[in-house]
Amino acid sequence: MNEADSFAEIFRGGLPHCLLIVFSMLLICSPVMPSEFEVISMSKYDLNGQHYGSRVSAISLEARSLYSWNTSRHCVLTRLTDLSIHDFDKLRQGAGGLILMLPSNILNLDLETKELITILEQSMLTHTAAVPIYFAPYNKDLEKIIDDITYTTTDSPGQNQTALAQLVVTVSANRYHINVGGGSIAANKNSKIPIIHGELIPNQLALKPTESIADGQKLPVILITANLKTFGIYNDYPVNADAAVLLVLMELFSKLHYTSSMAPKYRLRFLLSDAGVLLNFQGSKKWLEVDDNALQNVEFVLCLDTISESLSYTTDNALYMHVSKPPKDKTSISNFFKLLKSSAEKYSNGLAVEGVHKKINLADTKLAWEHERFSIKRYPSFTLSSVKSPRSPIRTTIFRNNESRLVEHTLNTTRIIAEALASFMYKVDSTSSIFEGQLAIKEENILPYFGVKSILHNNDVKDAFEKYLNNVKIIYDKPDVRDPEFMFYNENEVKLNVYRVKPAIFDLFLTFVIGAYLLTVFLAIQYFPRFYDEVSKLTKEDSAGQLNGHSSERLRMKSH
């Protein structure tokens, strides 16, 4: 009975201390409250049966740096500026996820880094990824986590450290767990591409007395086309300089068309859609299928594509006219090219106008330039662009330089195109200036159109078309149910949660420590009675020895 009481007494005094130690260890190994960050999913779409982007959204994996991941159980967290195309090719197939932090300010990057970013963008937009990919806006806290992950996995195992020291560093190091929620990614059944078009018809005052409105509608047609960029590597709106130039030309020539002293020799038509190079110019393809007769009496088709480089990293200052077939002398395109060169010499500061010839590759399902859509139909057409090669990554970048520089360049290019077009249409001497005074092209004309977004998401484009043009119509290109040429996917708003946790070896170490502690407690409880008996015996022997010693001492004293 005494032993049972002693056993219970041990638990009364020792159990709270045992639980306190265990709870402390559990608190140490438990994950810290998560840090939450904004993230944007990479764009997802289909084109001609090819998938682009990722079809996976959820991530719940250990965070690793770009230099330490080695399995699909790792999610790589790194900066966009640290990623190369070679790294991306390996990650999109082998990692469990990829989260890229965007630069804090693209303007502060050197020219080489800007070029690498645009090339990486192009690669990401033209490949399928088997893993979820997200982009995180720059955040100081997230940058610290990236630095911590990179330091832990590359610098901590020092070369001159002992095995024990390396073990202590490994056990005490922090790890991070990444969690990004997200439901299943489903195709958007309401996917559609809007195309808006209209034309400038001269009023009765602008015609000769013997001419009627019907005669004006028989005039040759000049079609000007452009595309709104509605997305890049993620769903955001880059600078739409091409649409801005088209809308400004529309505004300017509407004033000229209604001036009695400027009798037009041509009808102007304008076409704008939400499908550019990434969607293989589906907008112009649909429009040609629906309204093919509109170009029966066409003089030429002028396509605008990357009129201003949104993220320039070269010193090239040129405007290129891209054609599928070199124009013969004295043809409309040849005459316009000469007027364009004359206009550039007069109104630009060193801007060169050059012609570039590239045959259409009919074996390739993707077209290089929009004018090829019209050239296939044997309509005379060309593309004006600030880039020489159709493979230039500048055409698909979502990043931008200083907006004031973009506005200045766009303003200058618009003036050159407008003067050349007016000289061609109204048979005006190229040495004279038309867009001066009240018709001068200013920043106030460009800026309102610079931030134009999708035709679907606001009425700015529609209002401008209806204000300056006649016969304005909007048509939609919708994917076929059985064999869709394109398809968009629904995007879910998600958050990035980063938890700080201990590495797996810490769990093993903690298990060993707890096991050793429990074993010590068990042995102490198991052998406490024997230990108590041994201590008691030793205590009794010492007491008996001391008593015997005192008795002998008393006897000696009495004998003396």
Side-chain angles (χ1 to χ4, degrees), residues 51 74 79 243 326 340 385 430 470 545 555:
H51 303 299
H74 294 155
R79 300 175 182 86
L340 199 65
S385 177
S430 60
N470 304 103
L555 290 173

Side-chain angles (χ1 to χ4, degrees), residues 141-178:
D141 294 332
L142 187 60
E143 186 174 41
K144 290 178 182 178
I145 293 174
I146 294 175
D147 291 337
D148 194 11
I149 293 173
T150 306
Y151 170 79
T152 300
T153 55
T154 57
D155 298 336
S156 59
Q159 297 179 354
N160 299 323
Q161 289 181 338
T162 63
L164 179 61
Q166 291 185 22
L167 179 62
V168 171
V169 170
T170 304
V171 170
S172 61
N174 289 321
R175 291 289 187 268
Y176 293 90
H177 186 87
I178 284 180

Side-chain angles (χ1 to χ4, degrees), residues 33 85 159 164 192 245 332 474 486:
M33 288 296 292
I85 295 179
Q159 297 179 354
L164 179 61
K192 57 185 177 181
V245 173
S332 299
I474 299 179
F486 66 93

Side-chain angles (χ1 to χ4, degrees), residues 20 25 30 33 37 40 49 64 104 148-149 175 188 201 219 223 284 302 305 409 418 432 468 502 525 547 555-557:
L20 182 62
M25 291 185 173
S30 63
M33 288 296 292
F37 304 96
I40 311 168
R64 285 295 186 94
S104 59
D148 194 11
I149 293 173
R175 291 289 187 268
N188 186 355
I201 299 177
L219 293 173
L223 175 65
S284 54
L302 190 165
D305 190 326
H409 185 272
S432 60
Y468 300 114
K502 288 296 180 181
I525 294 172
L547 289 173
L555 290 173
R556 289 193 194 100
M557 290 178 66

Side-chain angles (χ1 to χ4, degrees), residues 70 81 145 160 166 206 212 245 254 346 356-357 434 450 477 535:
N70 51 30
T81 52
I145 293 174
N160 299 323
Q166 291 185 22
S212 64
V245 173
S254 68
K346 184 176 181 180
V356 181
H357 166 228
I434 298 175
F450 232 59
D477 186 12
V535 172

Side-chain angles (χ1 to χ4, degrees), residues 199-218:
E199 62 179 319
L200 279 174
I201 299 177
N203 62 6
Q204 189 68 39
L205 294 176
L207 298 173
K208 295 179 181 179
T210 58
E211 296 177 333
S212 64
I213 295 296
D215 294 324
Q217 292 177 344
K218 294 178 182 178

Side-chain angles (χ1 to χ4, degrees), residues 534-550:
E534 293 295 333
V535 172
S536 298
K537 289 178 182 180
L538 291 174
T539 304
K540 289 178 181 179
E541 289 177 359
D542 289 342
S543 300
Q546 289 179 0
L547 289 173
N548 293 333
H550 288 305

Side-chain angles (χ1 to χ4, degrees), residues 486-517:
F486 66 93
M487 182 62 68
F488 303 130
Y489 288 81
N490 293 323
E491 296 288 346
N492 300 317
E493 292 186 4
V494 294
K495 298 287 185 180
L496 166 64
N497 292 300
V498 182
Y499 299 84
R500 189 171 64 185
V501 297
K502 288 296 180 181
I505 193 173
F506 179 81
D507 296 338
L508 181 64
F509 174 78
L510 188 62
T511 302
F512 174 78
V513 171
I514 294 175
Y517 172 77

